[in-house]
């Protein structure tokens, strides 16, 4: 029973990782950019939600209505103002720009909010649980998994069945042909980044509700999100979901063997996939 519980808890944890990672996967799938500021943006979203709750008394979940549009606008501005110009100088330039943003962002958060840890209060939901076959599963963790699946399904449907989504895919496949068809490449890239950072904002708020966070917590977020994306397959949204679940189960099963092995087990699974299947478990990109 303990092992079954470990696997189920891993699936729930994997839902959080998948939610955190889907924005990273989307940006790479459309623009081939690895956004190293991903973790900092997630933590910044958590801080913004925390500030709204503290200053206005707004319910924690209602802050999502404000945080997502604000961060999506930030994402659009970052792409138009920084990443698009950097792309002209090769794929390495946006990577360096995002690294700079991550460093600056973490220091700004520390200056504004200090290094103290914070957590967004969600009341009784944080301790509520659902009984399943004699096992108790956290209600908030279940909600996070459901939201993660819904976001990934929604993104996939948007990219496959809407005019803007198809334009993004066309821009990714052949930018020159897309330009000849009247598609504004820079605008499409900026929209893709806005959507991706919007999902990061949602993940960040959920992160802030589930655990304590600090200005430097973004480094750990980036590592887990990156591992989930690599395990599943770069640019594959379904792969990101699978990668998050595999990483979460690896960590909880490792912790079941020995509490000190939890995070290490996830890193080892990441390394094994990188060595023997570097294209990821689902190598065919869905964002294509």
């Amino acid at each position: 029973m303990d092992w079954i519980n470990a696997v189920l808890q891993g699936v729930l944890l994997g839902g959080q990782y998948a939610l955190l990672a889907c924005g990273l996967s989307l940006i790479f799938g459309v623009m081939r950019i690895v956004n190293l500021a991903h973790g900092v943006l997630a933590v910044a979203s958590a801080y913004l939600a925390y500030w709204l709750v503290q200053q206005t008394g707004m319910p924690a979940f209602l802050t999502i209505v404000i945080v997502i549009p604000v961060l999506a606008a930030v994402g659009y501005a970052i792409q138009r103002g920084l990443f698009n110009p950097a792309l002209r100088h090769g794929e390495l330039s946006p990577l360096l720009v995002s690294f700079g943003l991550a460093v600056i962002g973490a220091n700004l958060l520390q200056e504004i909010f200090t290094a103290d840890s914070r957590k967004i209060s969600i009341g009784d939901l944080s301790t509520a649980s659902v009984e399943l076959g004699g096992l108790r599963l956290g209600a908030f963790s279940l909600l996070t998994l459901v939201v993660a699946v819904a976001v990934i399904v929604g993104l996939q449907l948007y990219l496959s069945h809407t005019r803007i989504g198809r334009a993004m895919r066309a821009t990714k496949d052949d930018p020159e042909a897309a330009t000849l068809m009247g598609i504004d490449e820079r605008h499409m890239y900026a929209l893709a980044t806005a959507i991706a950072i919007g999902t990061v904002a949602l993940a960040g708020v959920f992160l802030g509700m589930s655990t304590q966070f600090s200005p430097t917590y973004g480094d750990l977020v980036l590592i887990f999100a990156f591992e989930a994306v690599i395990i599943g397959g770069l640019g594959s949204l379904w792969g990101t979901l699978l990668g998050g679940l595999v990483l979460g189960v690896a960590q909880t099963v490792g912790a079941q063997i020995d509490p000190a092995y939890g995070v290490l087990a996830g890193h080892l699974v990441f390394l094994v996939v990188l060595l023997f299947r570097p294209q990821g478990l689902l190598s065919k990109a869905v964002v294509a």
Side-chain angles (χ1 to χ4, degrees), residues 77-150:
I78 288 173
Q79 182 64 43
R80 290 300 295 254
L82 296 175
F83 287 165
N84 278 343
L87 279 169
R88 302 191 195 107
H89 304 288
E91 294 184 353
L92 180 61
S93 295
L95 183 71
L96 297 176
V97 170
S98 68
F99 175 73
L101 284 174
V103 173
I104 293 170
N107 280 276
L108 280 176
L109 289 175
Q110 187 152 321
E111 284 294 324
I112 296 170
F113 295 101
T114 75
D116 295 340
S117 295
R118 304 286 201 278
K119 189 175 187 294
I120 302 170
S121 175
I122 52 174
D124 294 338
L125 183 59
S126 61
T127 56
S129 61
V130 176
E131 187 168 351
L132 180 65
L135 300 173
R136 302 195 72 84
L137 306 177
F140 182 74
S141 297
L142 279 171
L143 175 63
T144 303
L145 176 61
V146 170
V147 170
V149 173

Side-chain angles (χ1 to χ4, degrees), residues 179-246:
T179 301
L180 291 173
M181 294 173 62
I183 297 174
D184 186 341
E185 174 187 351
R186 293 174 299 176
H187 179 58
M188 284 299 110
Y189 283 167
L191 282 179
T193 303
I195 294 170
I197 301 304
T199 67
V200 172
L202 176 62
V205 175
F206 270 73
L207 176 73
M209 294 175 183
S210 65
T211 187
Q212 290 190 335
F213 57 91
S214 67
T216 58
Y217 195 70
D219 295 339
L220 192 61
V221 171
L222 176 63
I223 290 171
F224 290 152
F226 187 72
E227 287 183 345
V229 170
I230 294 296
I231 291 171
L234 276 168
S236 169
L237 290 172
W238 293 119
T240 298
L241 177 59
L242 176 62
L245 297 180
V246 169

